[in-house]
Amino acid sequence: MLQEGQHKVPAEASQPVVSVREKQIDHEKTLKARKEGKPQKPMEMNGQMLVPHSYDYDLIVIGGGSGGLAAAKEAAKYGKKVMVLDFVTPTPLGNSWGLGGTCVNVGCIPKKLMHQAALLGQALQDSRKFGWQFTEQVEHNWMTMTEAVQNYIGSLNWGYRVVLRDKKVTYENAYGEFVGPHTVKATNKRGVEKLYTAERFLIATGERPRYLGIPGDKEYCISSDDIFSLPYCPGKTLVVGASYVALECAGFLAGLGLDVTVMVRSILLRGFDQDMANKIGEYMEGHGINFIREFVPIKVEQIEKGTPGRLKVTAKSTKGNEIIEGEYNTVLLAIGRDACTRNIGLDKVGVMINQKTGKIPVNDEEQTNVPYIYAVGDILQDKLELTPVAIQAGRLLVQRLYAGTTRKCDYVNVPTTVFTPLEYGACGYSEETAVEKFGEENIEVYHSHFWPLEWTVPSRDNNKCYAKIICNILDNERVIGFHVLGPNAGEVTQGFAAAIKCGMTKEQLDSTIGIHPVCAEIFTTLSVTKRSGGNILLTGC
């Protein structure tokens, strides 16, 4: 809120302007004097001596998620004066959370913990075959799980605040919005507004779940922003979407014993290797998850209130006029996420965004078209939406700005994992993208099914796991794509990702001696190519 005697900063100014009773301080001269080491004389206005204006902070970070916090802490390490502004707009159901962003509060962390809860349920079933005997009926308690998960998340929220305090980073739980050059307005939950200036800004606001824009979606549906703290078991659940968020949530809900249906508009896991995506879908269907394909909801109605209540979903075919209806206790929307960039005043400072997606184009140093404003994380155009990527980009950006380094974030060959019931790890090109870029005749795909030893005694899911590498024939069969479906896929992929970064070839992979008996050793013995059509079912140990 502007105080009496202050005036709005002119939009055309290239440096911050301080106005006192219609008189302006010339910051061009002030900054020039500062750079030249000349002492600055106090100025007299209306009989008062004024110290020439300087920025309140060296760096203001808008967004307290993984990327923003990493950058803020790194900048503080170099003695910079840093502020973090973070504010969570509540979901339509009223849910919000603490410092740390999506990953910690409503993403990677609670997702994997609930995935682990589902895996433990499977392990209990397997244990009988290994001789464990228990007569009491084993049931899952949703509230016990969510309370434990939320307690852990709460400890992380507190830990982040303590670290910022220890590093002398100023943190405000307030909504940051640009109001003019080098100036932001911070509005807290009570509506109190403050103005702050900084030499540089970092936008790290992340994304939030998208809604369908149909009757009843915000009134009755939940999103991934709600599911991990839901104060009751969701019961029979319809998951709308085919994203990794949709399939991960459907997977752990089914693993906890719930009746789960996934409604898919077109393909599964768009942007991922479709061979792997389809195998994931087949595995999930084989484990009791229903799929309704090529339908989209057009209306959600409440039949009965409750925790959970009952909802009627009306859906329409994407191929024609067929209409179907179904009843569920909970409808979870996971149809994509939108960048939080449209309501933070970027137009007031001239930062360009993609008008369709809200994403921010940046150069190879994460710099926007406005030189003193930078951006990292999920809001970047044509960049990977992954927590470790945002952290790496944020740290390296600060090191370039304040430590004189030149290293840039490498967005190539970034490993990732989808924590579906059958986990999927990937690094490098998908098969489709490799064919498109190099030509089908110039790539060789080696693949095989495998059966984890741990699954043999319970005699389940024989030859459901799958390994595939994609090699560039013209580059000494260098491995340009790595894909694995199986337990602990993330752990497996992380190790191979380092080798791929170093330019690993198929010959080097073949010369590597495997560890026996583990799943990852399959990659040291791949011999069947896809084009050969040879048998890839694994027999024996």
Side-chain angles (χ1 to χ4, degrees):
M1 185 177 294
L2 292 171
Q3 303 299 317
E4 185 179 357
Q6 286 185 314
H7 302 274
K8 287 190 176 180
V9 179
E12 68 274 11
S14 59
Q15 297 293 343
V17 175
V18 172
S19 299
V20 182
R21 302 192 186 279
E22 304 300 334
K23 293 186 179 181
Q24 295 185 347
I25 296 171
D26 189 336
H27 288 284
E28 294 292 346
K29 291 181 180 178
T30 301
L31 292 175
K32 183 179 179 183
R34 187 183 303 162
K35 290 176 183 176
E36 294 174 355
K38 297 178 181 178
Q40 300 171 36
K41 296 180 180 179
M43 289 173 287
E44 184 174 340
M45 287 189 177
N46 300 315
Q48 297 182 12
M49 300 304 290
L50 298 175
V51 178
H53 174 86
S54 61
Y55 297 114
D56 299 323
Y57 292 91
D58 296 305
L59 176 68
I60 291 180
V61 179
I62 304 176
S66 303
L69 291 179
K73 291 183 286 186
E74 192 74 13
K77 192 167 77 175
Y78 298 112
K80 299 302 174 182
K81 191 176 181 184
V82 184
M83 167 178 267
V84 172
L85 297 173
D86 185 63
F87 186 86
V88 178
T89 303
T91 71
L93 296 185
N95 290 320
S96 60
W97 45 89
L99 183 62
T102 295
C103 175
V104 167
N105 293 285
V106 289
C108 325
I109 299 300
K111 174 265 303 287
K112 195 179 181 191
L113 289 174
M114 292 192 178
H115 172 64
Q116 173 65 9
L119 293 181
L120 288 172
Q122 181 65 63
L124 280 170
Q125 296 179 41
D126 290 351
S127 69
R128 293 184 186 274
K129 292 287 187 177
F130 284 94
W132 288 96
Q133 299 177 6
F134 41 93
T135 54
E136 68 275 14
Q137 185 176 354
V138 178
E139 294 181 344
H140 182 264
N141 187 301
W142 176 271
M143 289 307 300
T144 300
M145 177 187 68
T146 53
E147 183 179 349
V149 169
Q150 290 304 314
N151 285 343
Y152 176 63
I153 290 171
S155 73
L156 295 178
N157 298 147
W158 174 249
Y160 287 132
R161 297 186 68 162
V162 170
V163 169
L164 291 183
R165 184 187 64 199
D166 290 347
K167 292 184 179 292
K168 296 181 173 54
V169 174
T170 303
Y171 161 64
E172 281 205 21
N173 181 205
Y175 189 92
E177 180 182 357
F178 287 98
V179 293
H182 291 272
T183 308
V184 291
K185 177 178 69 177
T187 308
N188 67 18
K189 60 185 178 183
R190 294 183 298 276
V192 177
E193 298 176 350
K194 297 178 183 177
L195 293 180
Y196 297 104
T197 62
E199 182 181 13
R200 293 186 176 99
F201 292 84
L202 176 62
I203 307 168
T205 47
E207 298 180 306
R208 296 293 294 272
R210 185 179 306 145
Y211 284 79
L212 286 164
I214 62 171
D217 62 345
K218 291 186 177 180
E219 293 87 348
Y220 307 124
C221 300
I222 67 172
S223 73
S224 58
D225 282 355
D226 305 295
I227 185 68
F228 302 112
S229 58
L230 200 67
Y232 53 84
C233 180
K236 183 181 180 182
T237 302
L238 173 68
V239 178
V240 181
S243 63
Y244 71 88
V245 175
L247 298 188
E248 287 175 338
C249 290
F252 72 68
L253 290 173
L256 299 178
L258 303 182
D259 183 345
V260 178
T261 298
V262 180
M263 184 174 288
V264 181
R265 179 174 59 88
S266 54
I267 63 173
L268 301 180
L269 295 177
R270 185 177 301 278
F272 288 86
D273 187 293
Q274 284 302 291
D275 180 23
M276 310 302 281
N278 291 331
K279 283 180 167 58
I280 290 171
E282 291 167 8
Y283 183 89
M284 292 175 71
E285 283 189 284
H287 283 255
I289 297 176
N290 306 306
F291 279 79
I292 300 175
R293 296 179 184 271
E294 298 181 335
F295 273 86
V296 292
I298 56 173
K299 183 168 59 174
V300 179
E301 300 167 281
Q302 187 179 68
I303 300 172
E304 180 183 321
K305 290 184 177 181
T307 52
R310 282 197 303 139
L311 302 172
K312 183 173 83 169
V313 178
T314 305
K316 185 177 184 297
S317 169
T318 60
K319 297 292 185 181
N321 296 318
E322 184 183 358
I323 301 290
I324 60 172
E325 294 179 347
E327 286 189 16
Y328 305 91
N329 298 119
T330 299
V331 178
L332 169 61
L333 302 182
I335 58 171
R337 300 171 64 81
D338 292 324
C340 299
T341 58
R342 298 187 189 275
N343 298 304
I344 58 172
L346 295 184
D347 55 320
K348 293 184 176 70
V349 285
V351 173
M352 290 173 53
I353 66 170
N354 182 311
Q355 291 302 319
K356 182 179 180 182
T357 64
K359 300 274 187 147
I360 301 176
V362 294
N363 62 17
D364 62 354
E365 294 190 334
E366 287 75 46
Q367 187 178 41
T368 71
N369 64 299
V370 177
Y372 64 89
I373 299 177
Y374 299 80
V376 295
D378 293 358
I379 58 174
L380 298 190
Q381 181 171 288
D382 302 324
K383 296 290 190 291
L384 295 167
E385 299 177 10
L386 297 168
T387 293
V389 173
I391 293 172
Q392 178 90 309
R395 285 177 179 160
L396 293 179
L397 166 63
V398 167
Q399 290 168 15
R400 291 194 304 273
L401 292 177
Y402 301 125
T405 66
T406 58
R407 187 178 163 209
K408 301 172 184 176
C409 185
D410 185 358
Y411 293 92
V412 178
N413 289 330
V414 175
T416 188
T417 296
V418 180
F419 290 97
T420 37
L422 190 62
E423 295 176 12
Y424 169 34
C427 182
Y429 289 95
S430 67
E431 191 173 340
E432 296 87 358
T433 308
V435 168
E436 182 181 334
K437 184 173 179 64
F438 301 103
E440 188 171 2
E441 70 282 3
N442 295 321
I443 66 166
E444 196 72 83
V445 178
Y446 295 87
H447 65 154
S448 176
H449 285 286
F450 63 95
W451 195 13
L453 181 65
E454 296 85 349
W455 296 4
T456 57
V457 170
S459 192
R460 66 176 174 90
D461 299 321
N462 188 3
N463 278 300
K464 297 296 184 185
C465 297
Y466 181 68
K468 174 169 78 172
I469 60 169
I470 303 160
C471 301
N472 183 355
I473 296 172
L474 300 180
D475 189 12
N476 196 30
E477 281 205 314
R478 183 169 59 88
V479 178
I480 58 172
F482 176 95
H483 303 270
V484 59
L485 284 178
N488 305 304
E491 310 294 345
V492 173
T493 305
Q494 183 69 81
F496 281 106
I500 292 172
K501 276 281 188 186
C502 295
M504 177 179 67
T505 64
K506 177 64 165 65
E507 183 182 7
Q508 291 170 329
L509 198 52
D510 291 342
S511 68
T512 302
I513 296 174
I515 301 171
H516 189 69
V518 300
C519 294
E521 70 176 316
I522 189 70
F523 286 98
T524 67
T525 60
L526 293 174
S527 59
V528 181
T529 65
K530 220 175 193 185
R531 74 173 88 241
S532 75
N535 181 29
I536 58 170
L537 297 178
L538 199 65
T539 57
C541 66

